[in-house]
Amino acid sequence: MSTHPSPILDELRAMAVFATVVRSGSFSAGARALGLTRAVVSHHVASLEAKLGVPLAQRSTRSFSLTPAGEAFRVHCERMLDEAQDGIRGMELLRAEPRGEVRITCSHHFGQRRILPALLAFRRRYPSIRLHVAMNDSNVDLVQAGIELAVRAGPLADSDLVARRLVKEPTMLCASPAYLRRHGTPATVASLAQQRWVVYPPSQRTLSARHDGKTIEIPVQGDIVTDSAASRLAFVLAGEGIARLPAYDAAPLLASGELVRVLPEVETASLEIFLVHSRRIGPSARLLRDFLLADAPDEAVA
């Protein structure tokens, strides 16, 4: 046994060589795996045996087997090698962690309801990607504003953008109990034309619906006109009129009694929300796009 121990780095190197030889099944195979000569591999194992004072392996030109001491020591060497490889892989993942920034725009109301929770989850998964979130109820020019992703209600006009559907949400006609007490509960489809509506969006003049298997057009008029979905909901809750609401807004309020569904037999069109982007987007925007679309229907509209 040597009275002058090798430096620790030499011993660690020799332990890694020994673990590789054991896993490879022979000195020759271990040498090939390490890109070393068989003589160098034998030297490292011999230096370990000299350091420990016990033989680790029985070897000949044709066979290789571990001694009891070698079998016991193998466990420590393989554990050290595994820990080192895991550490290197971990650092590679850190180095490869996506970085960059994404600009996304969405409406205030839907953004707060559906997009913001998803963005928080995205940040937890990709903390090095910066997010610029513009909540705006108007449709901005993506190119001019430098925005890569937009969340918009459809159907969409033809354009050079790619649209992927995020949500197809049922809608229903709703009013508050206070409104219905003042103005009466509509009993027929024809009576809807005489109701007060919370008009959304401002351009709306009629509402398409289906009743008894037929498509009907319901005139929409009222003293409240808004371009904000959040405002529409607030006005309906305040008793200012009837409105077509998406289920994600209406369902909890119907359950609590704060809203009443009007003429449930009248089917209103589903609300479709799309994720829109140009045909070429950066890697960070692609990550966010795929993250948001993970649970969405697999369809695209060019």
Side-chain angles (χ1 to χ4, degrees), residues 195-207:
Q195 298 298 316
R196 295 185 180 184
W197 291 79
V198 176
V199 181
Y200 170 90
S203 60
Q204 186 177 48
R205 295 294 178 267
T206 61
L207 178 68

Side-chain angles (χ1 to χ4, degrees), residues 55-291:
L56 298 175
Q58 302 289 344
R59 54 233 193 231
S60 68
T61 55
R62 292 182 177 273
S63 64
F64 167 83
S65 61
L66 294 178
T67 65
E71 186 64 40
F73 193 57
R74 169 193 67 82
V75 175
H76 301 287
C77 295
E78 290 190 333
R79 183 184 302 141
M80 181 208 72
L81 187 61
D82 289 340
E83 290 287 347
Q85 291 173 336
D86 287 346
I88 290 171
R89 281 193 291 268
M91 291 303 101
E92 288 174 344
L93 288 173
L94 284 177
R95 187 184 66 215
E97 181 182 8
R99 298 178 182 273
E101 64 180 38
V102 186
R103 295 180 180 272
I104 182 171
T105 182
C106 56
S107 70
H108 283 93
H109 191 61
F110 185 79
Q112 290 283 347
R113 294 273 183 166
R114 293 289 182 88
I115 300 302
L116 185 57
L119 294 181
L120 291 171
F122 180 81
R123 278 284 299 163
R124 288 192 289 272
R125 182 175 297 184
Y126 302 109
S128 294
I129 294 181
R130 298 178 64 199
L131 296 178
H132 296 260
V133 184
M135 289 196 176
N136 193 320
D137 287 339
S138 61
N139 286 342
V140 300
D141 185 305
L142 300 191
V143 176
Q144 185 175 1
I147 292 174
E148 293 175 281
L149 300 174
V151 179
R152 291 179 174 172
L156 301 174
D158 291 339
S159 71
D160 292 330
L161 301 176
V162 175
R164 293 284 301 274
R165 193 169 72 189
L166 276 175
V167 171
K168 186 175 183 180
E169 188 82 5
T171 67
M172 58 201 71
L173 302 180
C174 297
S176 72
Y179 171 86
L180 297 176
R181 283 194 298 269
R182 288 198 307 270
H183 301 282
T185 300
T188 65
V189 173
S191 67
L192 289 173
Q194 282 71 54
Q195 298 298 316
R196 295 185 180 184
W197 291 79
V198 176
V199 181
Y200 170 90
S203 60
Q204 186 177 48
R205 295 294 178 267
T206 61
L207 178 68
S208 293
R210 287 188 64 79
H211 182 252
D212 287 339
K214 299 177 182 180
T215 300
I216 56 175
E217 296 292 329
I218 303 167
V220 172
Q221 56 185 349
D223 296 331
I224 303 296
V225 180
T226 179
D227 64 355
S228 163
S231 297
R232 171 188 59 186
L233 179 59
F235 283 122
V236 173
L237 283 169
E240 293 291 344
I242 296 175
R244 166 181 167 252
L245 298 179
Y248 61 76
D249 274 342
L253 298 170
L254 293 172
S256 68
E258 294 173 83
L259 288 180
V260 175
R261 186 169 182 182
V262 175
L263 291 176
E265 65 272 21
V266 174
E267 300 176 20
T268 52
S270 296
L271 173 67
E272 294 186 299
I273 303 290
F274 293 85
L275 184 63
V276 182
H277 58 83
S278 63
R279 297 187 182 277
R280 294 180 62 87
I281 56 175
S284 296
R286 285 198 300 273
L287 273 177
L288 179 55
R289 175 199 66 188
D290 295 344
F291 187 89

